Amino acid sequence: MTIRRILTVDADMATLKEVSKPVEAVDDDLRALMDDMLETMYDAPGIGLAAIQVGVARRVIVMDISRGEDAPREPRYFVNPEILWASEETAPYEEGCLSVPDIFDEVERPAKVRLRYLNYQGETIEEDAEDLYAVCIQHEMDHLNGVLFIDHLSRLKRTRAVAKVKKAARVDA
Ligand code: K1U
Ligand code: ZN
């Protein structure tokens, strides 16, 4: 397994804005990508990762929202995910993003969603998501469409966020 570089908005905005293409088959090559993505996410650390964040424009997401360092790992894999239904009720959550490091802000999204996706074995799953699961899957599915959580903020906040990430990248270089 390989830990891959996570693309960030200071240097890789054009790639992060790409719309990812559907996966045609859940095969060993795709599972190798998902294994790399999961290790990359745990290493970051984060609770979710979309393939475009490692430069692969395919509709693939990994996630682990189990809490605490000592909690057993509960990895989830989503291939070609779709939202079948979203609640009218919304909920706010202070979101972050590994591609927008050290920026956190509140985003309002549907509180519950019903999903359909293919899992690691290529089986079709339909299930409901709420709480952090609903927040994270919507955030990650936005990535598949080239949308970042800062795109849900005001233009002023978005501009400031990107400028802050660029400034930090210059200092770190
Ligand atoms: O970049 C990403 O898409 C991953 C992102 C997912 C996410 C976080 C919060 C709300 C919605 C989606 C992250 O994982 S940011 C890092 C983070 O939240 C975290 C890191 C370590 C421990 C716990 C949380
Ligand atoms: Zn993100």
Side-chain angles (χ1 to χ4, degrees), residues 53 96-99 139-140 143:
Q53 293 180 276
C97 181
L98 300 172
S99 297
H139 174 115
E140 301 307 332
H143 276 300

Short mmCIF file of all heavy atoms in Angstrom, two decimals, residues 53 96-99 139-140 143, ligand 2:
data_model
loop_
_atom_site.label_atom_id
_atom_site.label_comp_id
_atom_site.label_asym_id
_atom_site.label_seq_id
_atom_site.Cartn_x
_atom_site.Cartn_y
_atom_site.Cartn_z
N GLN A 53 -8.94 13.72 -4.63
CA GLN A 53 -7.99 14.35 -3.70
C GLN A 53 -6.60 13.72 -3.79
O GLN A 53 -5.63 14.30 -3.29
CB GLN A 53 -8.51 14.28 -2.26
CG GLN A 53 -9.76 15.13 -2.03
CD GLN A 53 -10.26 15.04 -0.61
OE1 GLN A 53 -10.99 14.13 -0.27
NE2 GLN A 53 -9.85 15.97 0.24
N GLY A 96 -14.13 20.47 7.86
CA GLY A 96 -12.75 20.71 7.46
C GLY A 96 -12.51 19.91 6.19
O GLY A 96 -13.39 19.18 5.74
N CYS A 97 -11.34 20.05 5.61
CA CYS A 97 -11.03 19.32 4.38
C CYS A 97 -9.52 19.19 4.25
O CYS A 97 -8.79 20.18 4.41
CB CYS A 97 -11.60 20.07 3.17
SG CYS A 97 -11.29 19.22 1.60
N LEU A 98 -9.06 17.99 3.96
CA LEU A 98 -7.61 17.76 3.84
C LEU A 98 -7.04 18.53 2.65
O LEU A 98 -5.82 18.79 2.63
CB LEU A 98 -7.34 16.26 3.70
CG LEU A 98 -7.83 15.42 4.89
CD1 LEU A 98 -7.71 13.94 4.59
CD2 LEU A 98 -7.06 15.78 6.16
N SER A 99 -7.88 18.93 1.70
CA SER A 99 -7.41 19.71 0.55
C SER A 99 -7.45 21.22 0.82
O SER A 99 -7.00 22.01 -0.02
CB SER A 99 -8.26 19.38 -0.69
OG SER A 99 -8.09 18.02 -1.03
N HIS A 139 -20.14 15.74 1.91
CA HIS A 139 -18.89 16.47 1.67
C HIS A 139 -18.05 15.73 0.62
O HIS A 139 -17.54 16.34 -0.34
CB HIS A 139 -18.12 16.58 2.99
CG HIS A 139 -16.76 17.18 2.91
ND1 HIS A 139 -16.42 18.38 3.51
CD2 HIS A 139 -15.61 16.75 2.30
CE1 HIS A 139 -15.15 18.65 3.26
NE2 HIS A 139 -14.63 17.68 2.53
N GLU A 140 -17.93 14.41 0.77
CA GLU A 140 -17.11 13.63 -0.16
C GLU A 140 -17.76 13.55 -1.54
O GLU A 140 -17.06 13.61 -2.57
CB GLU A 140 -16.84 12.23 0.39
CG GLU A 140 -16.12 12.18 1.73
CD GLU A 140 -14.82 12.98 1.76
OE1 GLU A 140 -14.19 13.14 0.71
OE2 GLU A 140 -14.46 13.47 2.84
N HIS A 143 -16.95 16.45 -3.59
CA HIS A 143 -15.63 16.35 -4.24
C HIS A 143 -15.75 15.67 -5.61
O HIS A 143 -15.05 16.04 -6.56
CB HIS A 143 -14.66 15.52 -3.39
CG HIS A 143 -13.96 16.28 -2.30
ND1 HIS A 143 -13.15 17.36 -2.54
CD2 HIS A 143 -13.94 16.09 -0.96
CE1 HIS A 143 -12.66 17.81 -1.40
NE2 HIS A 143 -13.12 17.07 -0.42
ZN ZN B 2 -12.79 17.45 1.58
#
